[in-house]
Amino acid sequence: MTTQSNTDRVYIFDTTLRDGEQSPGATMTLEEKLQVAEILDTMGVDIIEAGFPIASNGDFEAVATIAKRAKNAVICGLARAISADIDRAGEAVRFAKRGRIHTFVSTSPIHLAHQMKKTEDEVLEIVTRTVTQARNLIDDVEWSGMDATRTPVEFLARCTEAAIKAGATTINIPDTVGYSTPEDYYALIKTLIEMVPNSDQAIFSTHCHNDLGMAVANSLAGVRAGARQVECTINGIGERAGNAALEEVVMALKTRVDALPFHTAIESTSLSRASKVVSAAANFPVQYNKAIVGKNAFAHESGIHQDGMLKNALTYEIMTPESVGIKSTSLVMGKHSGRHAFKQKLADLGYELADNQFQEAFQRFKDLADRKKNVYDDDIIALVDDEMGSGADRIRLVDMSVMSKTGGIHRCELKVSVDGAPVEVSFDGTGSVDAIFSAIKEAVGAHPHLVLYAVDGVTGGTDAQANAHVRLELNGRIASGNATEPDTLVASARAYLNAYNRLLVERGAPAQGALAG
Ligand code: KIV
Ligand code: ZN
């Protein structure tokens, strides 16, 4: 008999917009979520988990809008094992060509005792009731046993059997706390598929967190054991240490098809672009040595490696940069390039901008080309991502001057506009960056805590644009900001404001003084 577990097709379930967006500081605006969903939909992701509709009206709107727009993927909404959650998820995905409700309940003894205060029998009843409710709304229902990897397999098997009997078509086995090893996870999936009498009526799915750095290895072990759906995120973003990285799962399956004879429908040449879109939307920098999509993933520095590469790329390269969509950095344009050439370049880089965004981006490109001799693809990508990420900012930098003297004063004179009204302040700090950030706090009237501040160059060279990242925390809420500018201090100020604006968006509050306290 052919069951899902003996075909070689692996479905990719992307949860960047749900589990990924849940990671501290990765909150995205609706516009950013739509950009991410669009690239996921076109690159061959089978199922997009677009959000958690009951969480907020914003989440609902995002899932519903993505559901309306998606052309290919199944659009999924998450729901706790609560009737109102399931109804809300059903409402959000009903606009999709193909929709899915994903409902979950904890199954491990530790969650049952301390979080849910329920017995196993009560949980079994919940599984049947909630999956039945979801199936009455839609044909495609996924059930997850939260903290499955710390659940006795006999009980997990009973829950799984009940979920399938009630109509679940996908069974997801989360390693919620990232505790599993590949051997454990392989054994768990295999045992469940063998033990559950109706297991052939559902697809088994992996959902692995990366707390011990084994999320991808565990997911692949799950596939070898018979799972045919992998839940993952672009750049591996997600709760705590994140989720299994989509690009790593896809390229491992593609590159090591000899050891892992499975395939996905992902167009791998879209991976680099998807990584950049998600990094810009979530304001989450990608670590330089990140597999597949990190800046250094295909860089060969040592003399021996470079020598080998020049003789034959296969000496040190197991996959080509082109296979993940990295084009060799080219000198693109200069100050004489016109609108048409710029539009063509944006299209080559995979951007489609609305008219007003295009005008702004073109003006910024011209300004940059006036100041910087060589404008590379990476410069244009950074500039456009910056433009798209700051479009809705309510507090904007109007003017800034910084005076800094060795052993002396560090002063920032700042002018910002807050919901269109000008505010001017001057602040002396312990250094230039302290003066800038303190001046902004003074101007806006709130004092978030600076969790992270990092600057890197978009390209090499002393005239490279600076890319600044700022993460702020206020009353337990975290927001990240990002900005690219030819000047490091201006980039820093704009990144700080961008993070600040995101705190405002999350709170839906008036701008000035809104965050005080
Ligand atoms: O990690 C987890 O258990 C989850 C569930 C909601 C599937 O994200
Ligand atoms: Zn998760």
Side-chain angles (χ1 to χ4, degrees), residues 117-130:
K117 307 210 186 307
K118 297 255 184 254
T119 64
E120 288 191 348
D121 282 347
E122 285 170 327
V123 169
L124 274 168
E125 184 277 322
I126 291 172
V127 172
T128 301
R129 178 163 41 83
T130 52

Side-chain angles (χ1 to χ4, degrees), residues 189-207:
I189 300 285
K190 196 162 173 45
T191 308
L192 277 175
I193 291 176
E194 283 166 5
M195 213 168 158
V196 172
N198 51 5
S199 65
D200 60 320
Q201 292 166 34
I203 293 183
F204 280 69
S205 166
T206 70
H207 179 108

Side-chain angles (χ1 to χ4, degrees), residues 168-241:
T169 41
T170 302
I171 297 294
N172 185 38
I173 306 298
D175 184 23
T176 304
V177 291
Y179 179 72
S180 217
T181 66
E183 289 74 17
D184 292 346
Y185 201 71
Y186 177 92
L188 178 60
I189 300 285
K190 196 162 173 45
T191 308
L192 277 175
I193 291 176
E194 283 166 5
M195 213 168 158
V196 172
N198 51 5
S199 65
D200 60 320
Q201 292 166 34
I203 293 183
F204 280 69
S205 166
T206 70
H207 179 108
C208 298
H209 280 270
N210 204 30
D211 298 67
L212 294 173
M214 291 191 274
V216 170
N218 288 341
S219 307
L220 296 174
V223 170
R224 285 197 299 106
R228 287 296 176 270
Q229 174 178 287
V230 174
E231 301 201 354
C232 44
T233 59
I234 300 285
N235 297 336
I237 64 170
E239 284 278 10
R240 306 178 311 279

Side-chain angles (χ1 to χ4, degrees), residues 273-285:
R273 174 89 199 104
S275 165
K276 290 195 166 89
V277 169
V278 169
S279 173
N283 271 319
F284 241 69

Side-chain angles (χ1 to χ4, degrees), residues 64-106:
T65 313
I66 292 167
K68 280 180 202 151
R69 292 193 184 180
K71 295 193 176 71
N72 311 306
V74 172
I75 302 303
C76 175
L78 184 70
R80 289 167 298 181
I82 295 175
S83 176
D85 278 39
I86 296 169
D87 282 344
R88 194 77 174 136
E91 239 181 279
V93 301
R94 87 190 147 88
F95 301 105
K97 274 195 195 133
R98 291 181 298 151
R100 172 181 296 187
I101 297 175
H102 173 193
T103 182
F104 69 97
V105 68
S106 288

